[in-house]
């Protein structure tokens, strides 16, 4: 009993300090803060030793490209508003920015990331150079606040302080926060809001402090529409649960009163949030991703179900099923079910959530009727943590039969984990052993710990800390995590350099760069970095994109399937003219026709690239596989040992951001054209629904050539289908070449029919199998691929160039129904006669049509010259305004090479004018002969209505507060 006595004494000392009446209020917060910092230091130490920040790297995810870039931009945005207010004495709220993609609405684009989150307001004090440290601090602060919010919920329900403390640690260091939160920091926000909103629900039932419910719900709606949707579902479920708990059945009078109060207060909360929430949600409804025919499986994978039980304390599962907490903390679940007639509602809630996890369709519904993912499962971590808090006192009132039942259940789960081939991994094994050891000590020595619960509490605290440390280890190392290990985060102190490096500085030095765009090819320029550096590059990677841009890219057979993620236009010279891309920044092998070098920058190889070069040069190619990038890197290293040679090239005949047309192409005619005709036509006549201008009859200089497909390695040909029997299968396209032309490979309705790798069947072959044979196989396996690349390799004037088309299936989360693709392999003066085609993934590549085109570029400059016969003067694009002057000798359409949007209005010579949708993506004005002064103004759609609703909501909230106070006085 010596060890037990020591544990008892330690527990007694802790409890004596804990209950000291001299500091009753500060005791809990002090203890929570100390323990939180102690546990977080374990995480921080790993990042510090390896030299990493908390910013997820660009190579692996969205961290630096989206979250960091948005935070840095938001700080600049706020400082600009304050500067104008206090220095220029004007209130100007920027709503549109040319530097975001091709030009985007600021609020709706960035709401998902930074707008509305109160914590991000701190960015106003932090320059971009130091935003990395603010980013790290905010992530820690969100974790800390999540535990505090949970503590507030527990204390509101009068749970013990010590049990609440342990539950708060379970919650703050849940796997959702450590895995999802570290990849996407704002994924922690709903963990803060949910406990506070539920406190608000309780207060509404008590008919007091209505403002708590309204304010917390409004802040969650302003912060992020995506998680607000999920939070709303669980708020409704909780409100229903509490109704039956309070009224023990349906009582019509009380029910109608409760429904009325919640409906009114929820409406007020939405009204308050409307200034940001309304424009954002309307923008969401206008995207192609909403309503896309995503694949929703009937069931998840076999492995998923095998490992779901262990996910409560061990390794999390696919589809964002991240529900684990410290293993020792799950003892609360066993105590919960060991007490038959107690906490029935918690049992029902837990079982209901677990049932939800079994059904992909539920994941589809909770994800806004999009792809099936369990991003909704963060409330389960709160439920499991609260179950521990609620059952903590019951742990010391268990009967022998209950204790033996708990130990038996833990032993059964341990046996299952050791027997099941899927679950038998080190993370799960350590978790169940920790639970077994600590639960066993308490339950087998129950006579002692039952008399000395403080000692048991101290033991549980130690066990929870150890279990948390185990989860930290596996969440951030390759031992348990191939998705977001520490090594996949951005090196500490380098975020600023990655978004504002040597190359960006050189581009900024170009004298007229603000008046044009630049294209990039083969560079390390990060998507979205242009918006921080006030450059026009056309790169974009955010969840919400302008639908007109997406439609244009679809019509032009973009070689990428995403509507919300685009990096370049594949070096297509006709599109580069149209988009005012005067400059090309990149490797010479990707240089489009018509550009001349004006500068050169050497970007040193990073450490990973140096290692790859050494490995390839050391003939260790097998360790690198057959990745094309590694081969290109080696070729470049052989030419230049210092680093990447990035050229800056200029097109002296580039179109400005505003140019004119003297004829138009009816939209109906344009839609009947093939893709090659379209990309030429839009430079000859403006595409409009209707116009008073003469109708243009565009020339088509492209040459479609016949071809022969010869299967090479692991490739089999069928009618309108190419089957890759293994990864990296190849075939050869041969044809008669055309000199001085761009080479294009185009596919109509191209689909990748993935293969179940374990069973070697395509979807078509699987469907053809007899049912009796099919039933012996698993219908869906985790090894099914949902994306593939098609690489095109050709010799262009002695330079081997390799480009690609990227495909996704409807199993992919970002699928939006795009199936027409085209790749511009490159420009060559000598005729190209063959292209080697490589299919990265085995499976069937089916298409309605495959075409090979050559596009001569000799008339490209003449088309551009026609567009610049009348040029706009004093073109200015800033402060939600586009302005210019132009003088015309005949009627023409003035086209602005910026995306069309419902928020734009126009005046010509002070009179309101109709702004037309031109060339699918752009804006145009039809102008009569003469001199014209033109003004375009942008206002975020629905923001004015949203502002009116916000003000009205605040007034209604004030009225509710006054009414409540008067009612209490009476």
């Amino acid at each position: 009993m010596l060890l037990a006595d020591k544990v008892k004494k330690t527990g007694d000392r802790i409890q004596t300090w804990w209950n000291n009446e001299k500091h009753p209020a500060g005791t809990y917060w002090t203890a929570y803060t100390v323990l939180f910092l102690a546990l977080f230091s374990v995480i921080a130490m790993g990042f510090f030793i390896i030299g990493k920040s908390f910013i997820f790297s660009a190579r692996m995810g969205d961290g630096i490209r989206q979250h960091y870039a948005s935070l840095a931009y938001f700080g600049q945005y706020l400082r600009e508003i304050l500067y104008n207010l206090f220095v220029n004495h004007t209130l100007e709220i920027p709503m549109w920015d040319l530097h975001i993609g091709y030009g985007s609405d600021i609020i709706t684009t960035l709401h998902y990331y930074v707008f509305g989150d109160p914590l991000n307001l701190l960015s106003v004090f932090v320059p971009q150079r130091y935003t990395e440290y603010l980013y790290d601090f905010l992530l820690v602060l969100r974790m800390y606040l999540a535990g505090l919010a949970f503590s507030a919920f527990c204390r509101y329900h009068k749970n013990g302080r010590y049990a609440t403390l342990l539950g708060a640690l379970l919650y703050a260091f849940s796997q959702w926060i450590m895995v999802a939160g570290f990849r996407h920091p704002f994924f922690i926000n709903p963990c803060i809001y949910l406990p506070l909103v539920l406190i608000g629900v309780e207060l509404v039932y008590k008919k007091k402090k209505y403002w708590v419910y309204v304010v917390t719900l409004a802040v969650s709606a302003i912060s992020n529409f995506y998680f607000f949707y999920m939070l709303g579902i669980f708020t409704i479920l909780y409100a229903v649960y509490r109704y039956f708990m309070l009224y023990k059945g349906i009582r019509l009078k009380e029910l109608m009163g409760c429904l009325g109060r919640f409906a009114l207060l929820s409406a007020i909360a939405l009204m308050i949030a409307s200034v940001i929430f309304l424009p954002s949600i309307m923008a969401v409804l206008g995207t192609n991703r909403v309503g896309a025919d995503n694949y929703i499986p009937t069931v998840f994978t076999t492995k998923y179900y095998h490992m779901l039980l262990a996910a409560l304390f061990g390794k999390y599962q696919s589809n964002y099923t991240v529900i684990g907490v410290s293993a020792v903390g799950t003892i609360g679940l066993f105590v919960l079910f060991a007490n038959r007639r107690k906490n029935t509602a918690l049992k029902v809630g837990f079982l209901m959530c677990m049932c939800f996890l079994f059904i992909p369709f539920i994941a589809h519904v909770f994800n806004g009727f999009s792809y099936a993912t369990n991003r909704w499962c963060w409330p389960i971590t709160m439920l499991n943590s609260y179950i521990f808090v609620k059952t903590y006192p019951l742990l010391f009132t268990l009967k022998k039969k209950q204790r033996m039942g708990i130990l038996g259940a833990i032993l059964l789960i341990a046996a299952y984990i050791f027997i099941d081939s899927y679950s038998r991994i080190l993370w799960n094994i350590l978790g169940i052993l920790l639970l077994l050891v600590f639960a066993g000590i308490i339950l087998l020595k129950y006579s002692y710990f039952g008399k000395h619960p403080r000692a048991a509490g101290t033991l549980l605290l130690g066990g929870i800390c150890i279990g948390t440390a185990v989860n930290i280890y596996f969440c951030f190392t390759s031992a348990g995590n191939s998705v977001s290990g520490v090594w996949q985060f951005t090196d500490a102190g380098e975020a600023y350099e990655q978004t504002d490096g040597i190359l960006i500085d050189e581009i900024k030095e170009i004298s007229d760069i603000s008046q044009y765009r630049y294209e990039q090819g083969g560079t390390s320029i990060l998507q979205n970095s242009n918006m921080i550096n006030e450059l026009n590059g056309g790169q974009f990677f955010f969840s919400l994109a302008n639908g007109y841009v997406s439609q244009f890219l679809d019509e032009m057979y973009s070689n990428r399937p995403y509507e919300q993620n685009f990096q370049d236009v594949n070096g297509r010279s006709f599109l580069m003219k149209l988009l005012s891309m005067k400059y090309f920044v990149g490797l010479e092998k990707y240089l489009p026709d018509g550009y001349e070098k004006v500068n050169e920058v050497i970007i040193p190889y990073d450490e990973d690239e140096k290692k790859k070069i050494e490995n390839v040069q050391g003939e260790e190619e097998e360790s690198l596989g057959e990745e094309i990038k590694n081969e290109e890197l080696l070729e470049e290293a052989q030419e230049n040992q210092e680093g990447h040679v990035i050229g800056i090239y200029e097109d002296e005949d580039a179109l400005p951001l505003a140019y004119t047309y003297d004829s138009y192409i009816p939209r109906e005619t344009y839609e009947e054209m093939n893709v090659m005709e379209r990309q030429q036509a839009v430079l000859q006549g403006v595409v409009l629904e209707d116009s008073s201008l003469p109708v243009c009859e565009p020339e088509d200089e492209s040459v479609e050539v016949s071809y022969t497909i010869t299967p090479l390695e692991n490739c089999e040909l069928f009618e309108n289908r190419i089957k890759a029997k293994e990864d990296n299968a190849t075939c050869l396209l041969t044809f008669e070449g055309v000199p001085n032309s761009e080479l294009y490979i185009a596919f109509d309705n191209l689909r990748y029919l993935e293969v179940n790798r374990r069973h070697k069947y395509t979807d078509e072959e699987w469907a053809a199998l007899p049912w009796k044979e099919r039933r012996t196989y698993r219908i869906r396996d985790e090894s099914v691929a949902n994306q593939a690349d098609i690489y095109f390799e050709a010799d262009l004037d002695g330079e081997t160039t390799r480009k690609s088309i990227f495909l996704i299936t409807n199993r992919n989360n970002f699928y939006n129904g795009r199936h027409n693709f085209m790749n511009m392999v490159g420009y060559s003066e000598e005729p190209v006669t063959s292209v080697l085609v490589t299919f990265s993934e085995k499976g069937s590549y089916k298409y309605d049509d495959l075409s090979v085109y050559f596009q001569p570029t000799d008339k490209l400059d003449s088309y551009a010259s026609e567009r610049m016969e009348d040029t706009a003067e004093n073109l200015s694009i800033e402060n939600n305004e586009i302005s210019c002057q132009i003088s015309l000798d005949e009627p023409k359409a003035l086209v602005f090479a910026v995306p069309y949007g419902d928020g734009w209005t126009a005046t010509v010579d002070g009179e309101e004018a109709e702004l037309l949708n031109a060339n699918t993506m752009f804006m145009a004005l039809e102008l009569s002969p003469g001199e014209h002064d033109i003004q375009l103004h942008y206002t975020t759609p629905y923001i004015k209505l949203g502002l009116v609703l916000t003000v009205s909501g605040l007034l209604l909230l004030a009225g509710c507060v006054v009414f409540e106070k008067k009612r209490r006085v009476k």
Side-chain angles (χ1 to χ4, degrees):
M1 296 293 292
L2 184 61
L3 177 61
D5 289 337
K6 289 183 178 180
V7 171
K8 175 185 179 300
K9 289 179 180 178
T10 303
D12 287 343
R13 282 195 294 269
I14 292 174
Q15 293 295 322
T16 299
W17 171 80
W18 183 259
N19 295 311
N20 191 332
E21 293 298 329
K22 293 182 180 179
H23 44 77
T27 299
Y28 179 86
W29 310 113
T30 302
Y32 170 73
T33 301
V34 170
L35 288 170
F36 175 88
L37 292 176
L39 284 173
F40 188 82
S41 66
V42 178
I43 300 176
M45 186 63 67
F47 281 82
F48 177 77
I49 291 173
I50 299 179
K52 296 290 185 177
S53 68
F54 296 149
I55 303 173
F56 207 51
S57 74
R59 294 178 182 177
M60 299 305 302
D62 308 337
I64 195 167
R65 293 181 293 180
Q66 292 184 338
H67 309 313
Y68 169 82
S70 298
L71 186 62
Y73 181 90
F74 191 54
Q76 295 176 350
Y77 178 87
L78 294 174
R79 288 190 291 275
E80 180 182 348
I81 293 174
L82 293 178
Y83 181 86
N84 287 330
L85 182 63
F86 292 108
V87 177
N88 297 333
H89 305 294
T90 59
L91 179 59
E92 297 179 3
I93 309 296
M95 299 184 190
W96 188 88
D97 194 339
L98 181 63
H99 311 308
I100 304 176
Y102 294 111
S104 301
D105 184 284
I106 298 171
I107 296 173
T108 59
T109 301
L110 299 182
H111 168 233
Y112 183 73
Y113 303 93
V114 290
F115 269 81
D117 182 353
L119 298 179
N120 290 329
L121 294 174
L122 293 174
S123 63
V124 72
F125 303 110
V126 183
Q128 182 195 345
R129 182 176 291 277
Y130 304 108
T131 298
E132 174 183 324
Y133 308 108
L134 174 66
Y135 184 103
D136 292 350
F137 170 74
L138 289 178
L139 191 149
V140 182
L141 181 60
R142 289 185 175 99
M143 292 180 66
Y144 180 77
L145 292 178
L148 287 187
F150 178 83
S151 302
F153 179 80
C154 293
R155 295 297 290 159
Y156 178 85
H157 286 282
K158 303 188 184 306
N159 291 285
R161 286 196 295 181
Y162 194 73
T164 297
L165 175 66
L166 299 184
L169 294 176
L170 290 174
Y171 189 59
F173 291 92
S174 64
Q175 288 184 32
W176 174 267
I177 288 179
M178 291 194 294
V179 176
F182 269 74
R183 296 179 69 189
H184 309 277
F186 63 86
F187 279 27
I188 304 175
N189 285 4
C191 298
I192 303 172
Y193 301 142
L194 180 60
L196 302 179
V197 171
L198 298 188
I199 292 174
V201 171
E202 298 287 348
L203 292 170
V204 172
Y205 276 120
K206 292 184 177 180
K207 299 181 182 180
K208 63 180 183 180
K209 296 183 179 179
Y210 293 146
W211 65 267
V212 174
Y213 177 79
V214 173
V215 171
T216 53
L217 199 64
V219 170
S220 66
I222 291 174
S223 294
N224 188 281
F225 61 85
Y226 179 69
F227 284 109
F228 171 75
Y229 167 76
M230 302 176 199
L231 185 142
I233 293 174
F234 283 95
T235 300
I236 292 171
L237 291 175
Y238 182 82
V240 171
Y241 146 70
R242 288 300 292 162
Y243 173 85
F244 285 102
M245 289 289 292
L246 292 169
Y247 297 104
K248 312 300 181 184
I250 297 178
R251 294 159 57 178
L252 189 59
K253 182 179 179 181
E254 286 79 5
L255 176 62
M256 297 306 296
C258 291
L259 287 175
R261 283 195 299 276
F262 277 111
L264 175 61
L265 296 175
S266 298
I268 293 174
L270 283 176
M271 290 174 69
I272 293 172
S274 288
V275 68
I276 293 178
F277 181 77
L278 182 62
S280 299
I281 202 66
M282 296 304 294
V284 171
L285 296 176
T287 64
N288 291 337
R289 291 175 68 183
V290 174
D293 186 23
N294 292 97
Y295 172 73
I296 308 300
T298 306
V299 293
F300 289 119
T301 66
T302 303
K303 180 180 179 180
Y304 172 91
Y305 294 112
H306 273 258
M307 295 187 66
L308 188 56
L309 182 61
L312 290 167
F313 55 82
K315 182 173 177 55
Y316 56 87
Q317 280 307 289
S318 57
N319 300 92
Y320 259 94
T321 312
V322 190
I323 57 177
V325 295
S326 174
V328 178
T330 57
I331 193 174
L333 291 171
F334 295 92
V335 176
L336 176 70
F337 286 95
N339 289 269
R340 290 186 180 181
R341 294 190 178 92
K342 295 182 179 179
N343 297 308
T344 302
L346 289 179
K347 295 174 186 174
V348 172
F350 175 78
L351 293 174
M352 180 179 66
C353 287
M354 294 305 292
C355 288
F356 287 167
L357 290 174
F358 272 74
I359 307 170
F361 185 78
I362 294 293
H364 164 65
V365 173
F366 281 10
N367 197 41
F369 295 89
S370 185
Y371 55 90
T373 181
N374 287 326
R375 281 183 173 178
W376 61 270
C377 69
W378 43 273
I380 299 179
T381 62
M382 178 180 171
L383 176 61
N384 290 347
S385 301
Y386 187 70
I387 286 172
F388 174 86
V389 174
K390 201 68 177 176
T391 59
Y392 179 81
L394 300 178
L395 181 61
F396 307 107
T397 62
L398 297 171
K399 296 179 180 179
K400 184 176 181 180
K401 186 177 179 181
Q402 292 172 315
R403 298 197 301 272
M404 293 304 102
I406 291 174
L407 278 176
I410 296 174
L411 285 169
L412 282 175
I413 294 174
Y416 170 78
I417 288 174
F418 278 95
I419 293 171
D420 183 64
S421 59
Y422 289 109
S423 301
R424 192 174 57 246
I425 60 174
L426 184 59
W427 192 347
N428 296 340
I429 291 171
L430 286 179
I432 196 63
L433 288 179
L434 276 173
L435 176 59
L436 186 60
V437 168
F438 281 87
I441 291 174
I442 292 174
L443 297 177
L444 293 177
K445 293 289 185 179
Y446 199 71
S447 60
Y448 175 82
F449 287 110
K451 296 176 182 178
H452 305 95
R454 296 175 180 177
T458 306
L459 188 66
L460 281 174
L461 173 60
I464 287 173
C465 290
I466 294 172
T468 300
V470 169
N471 282 348
I472 289 171
Y473 173 76
F474 284 105
C475 283
F476 294 108
T477 69
S478 57
N481 187 345
S482 61
V483 178
S484 54
V486 175
W487 69 94
Q488 295 175 352
F489 286 75
T490 302
D491 290 343
E494 291 194 3
Y496 179 75
E497 292 298 324
Q498 290 191 29
T499 55
D500 189 2
I502 302 171
L503 186 55
I504 291 292
D505 290 340
E506 290 295 332
I507 297 173
K508 288 180 180 178
E509 291 299 318
I510 299 173
S511 59
D512 61 350
I513 192 63
S514 63
Q515 299 298 311
Y516 295 91
R517 294 191 178 96
Y518 75 90
E519 168 79 318
Q520 68 88 35
T523 74
S524 59
I525 296 175
L526 289 177
Q527 287 169 297
N528 303 330
S529 62
N530 288 319
M531 71 181 193
I532 305 174
N533 295 293
E534 300 184 350
L535 295 172
N536 308 321
Q539 303 170 5
F540 185 92
F541 183 28
F542 289 114
S543 289
L544 291 182
N546 185 310
Y548 295 100
V549 175
S550 177
Q551 183 182 349
F552 176 80
L553 295 176
D554 191 17
E555 291 172 354
M556 291 299 169
Y557 285 34
S558 168
N559 64 329
R560 292 291 181 266
Y562 301 130
E563 70 166 344
Q564 83 291 357
N565 182 349
F566 41 87
Q567 180 83 355
D568 52 51
V569 292
N570 194 216
R572 294 162 64 174
S573 56
F574 279 77
L575 296 188
M576 292 175 69
K577 284 283 190 192
L578 191 75
L579 292 164
S580 307
M581 290 179 168
K582 184 174 182 178
Y583 297 95
F584 176 83
V585 180
L587 302 177
E588 188 173 4
K589 66 172 68 178
Y590 300 125
L591 184 65
D593 181 43
Y595 286 78
E596 299 293 334
K597 181 180 286 188
V598 294
N599 200 355
E600 185 177 280
V601 182
I602 296 179
I603 309 297
Y605 299 124
D606 62 29
E607 292 302 319
D608 289 340
E609 289 171 333
K610 290 178 181 178
K611 289 178 181 178
K612 288 180 180 179
I613 293 169
E614 292 171 358
N615 287 341
V616 177
Q617 291 173 335
E619 298 182 352
E620 297 180 11
E621 296 185 32
E622 291 185 4
S623 65
L624 297 172
E626 299 179 5
E627 294 183 11
I628 292 168
K629 288 186 177 180
N630 291 330
E631 297 176 12
E632 293 179 342
L633 186 63
L634 178 60
E635 292 174 5
E636 185 180 357
Q638 290 171 343
E639 297 176 4
N640 179 61
Q641 296 295 328
E642 297 179 16
H644 300 282
V645 179
I646 305 297
I648 299 178
Y649 304 85
E650 179 182 6
D651 174 13
E652 294 182 351
D653 298 312
L655 291 177
L657 289 168
Y659 42 85
T660 58
Y661 292 83
D662 56 9
S663 60
Y664 91 105
I665 301 169
R667 180 79 196 176
E668 183 179 352
T669 303
Y670 168 81
E671 290 177 349
E672 293 174 353
M673 298 178 181
N674 66 40
V675 62
M676 295 302 293
E677 292 170 336
R678 286 177 184 174
Q679 78 166 3
Q680 298 170 85
V682 290
L683 279 172
Q684 300 174 59
V686 59
V687 178
L688 299 169
E689 289 289 345
D690 193 17
S691 175
S692 60
L693 297 175
V695 174
C696 174
E697 297 183 1
E699 301 175 315
D700 177 16
E701 297 293 318
S702 66
V703 180
E704 183 176 2
V705 298
S706 58
Y707 56 85
T708 300
I709 307 179
T710 304
L712 297 179
E713 187 175 355
N714 296 316
C715 195
E716 191 174 356
L717 302 182
F718 300 89
E719 183 178 359
N720 291 351
R721 181 162 69 96
I722 300 173
K723 181 178 179 180
K725 295 187 286 186
E726 297 292 339
D727 294 350
N728 297 313
T730 57
C731 67
L732 187 68
L733 278 175
T734 54
F735 38 78
E736 183 177 347
V738 177
N740 301 310
S741 300
E742 294 175 338
L743 169 60
Y744 289 84
I745 312 293
F747 291 89
D748 287 280
N749 197 20
L750 174 63
R751 288 97 68 206
Y752 168 53
L753 307 178
E754 65 273 17
V755 170
N756 182 310
R757 295 181 178 178
R758 180 170 297 177
H759 304 303
K760 314 295 185 184
Y761 291 110
T762 65
D763 283 358
E764 292 174 332
E765 292 167 340
W766 178 265
L769 286 176
W771 178 80
K772 289 184 179 180
E773 187 174 349
R774 266 195 296 170
R775 70 178 181 178
T776 62
Y777 294 97
R778 299 185 178 113
I779 293 175
R780 182 172 183 262
D781 188 82
E782 62 274 7
S783 57
V784 171
N786 60 29
Q787 63 186 48
D789 289 280
I790 304 178
Y791 294 102
F792 304 92
E793 180 180 343
D795 189 326
L796 306 177
D797 296 330
E799 180 78 44
T800 299
T801 301
R802 202 184 258 113
K803 289 189 177 182
S804 67
I805 287 174
F806 178 58
L807 309 174
I808 58 177
T809 74
N810 65 351
R811 295 175 187 264
N812 190 288
N813 293 347
F814 299 103
Y815 175 77
N816 66 354
R818 188 178 291 177
H819 289 285
N820 298 324
F821 300 96
M822 183 166 71
N823 187 270
M824 198 283 284
V825 182
Y827 174 85
S828 179
E829 295 179 355
E830 297 297 323
V832 181
T833 58
S834 66
V835 173
L836 178 67
V837 184
T838 302
F839 303 93
S840 68
E841 301 289 333
K842 63 181 176 182
S844 287
Y845 297 77
K846 190 174 182 179
Y847 50 86
D848 291 352
D849 192 29
L850 190 162
S851 305
V852 178
Y853 296 100
F854 283 93
Q855 175 66 69
T857 58
D858 51 351
K859 288 193 174 183
L860 183 57
D861 287 339
S862 66
Y863 296 150
S865 297
E866 292 174 4
R867 303 286 69 78
M868 292 189 290
E869 285 179 353
D870 297 290
T871 57
E873 297 179 352
N874 302 318
L875 179 65
S876 173
I877 303 177
E878 59 182 4
N879 299 328
N880 308 321
E881 303 276 354
I882 299 177
S883 62
C884 64
Q885 293 81 42
I886 193 169
S887 179
L888 301 175
D889 296 328
E890 58 178 323
K892 286 192 175 184
L894 175 63
V895 171
F896 297 91
V898 296
Y900 180 84
D902 295 335
W904 286 103
T905 57
T907 60
V908 177
D909 302 324
E911 299 290 331
E912 185 176 344
E914 182 182 6
L915 196 59
L916 305 174
N917 177 217
N919 296 340
T920 301
M921 175 177 164
F922 299 148
M923 300 184 294
L925 290 167
E926 285 197 32
L927 302 174
S928 60
E931 296 184 358
H932 299 289
D933 181 69
I934 296 163
Q935 300 283 334
L936 274 63
H937 179 78
Y938 184 83
T939 302
T940 298
Y942 299 99
I943 198 169
K944 290 182 178 179
L945 174 59
L947 181 60
V948 171
L949 290 173
T950 294
V951 173
S952 302
L954 290 171
L955 292 175
L956 286 172
L957 176 60
C960 287
V961 172
V962 172
F963 171 78
E964 182 191 339
K965 286 184 177 180
K966 288 184 177 180
R967 183 177 57 81
R968 285 207 304 268
V969 171
K970 292 180 181 179

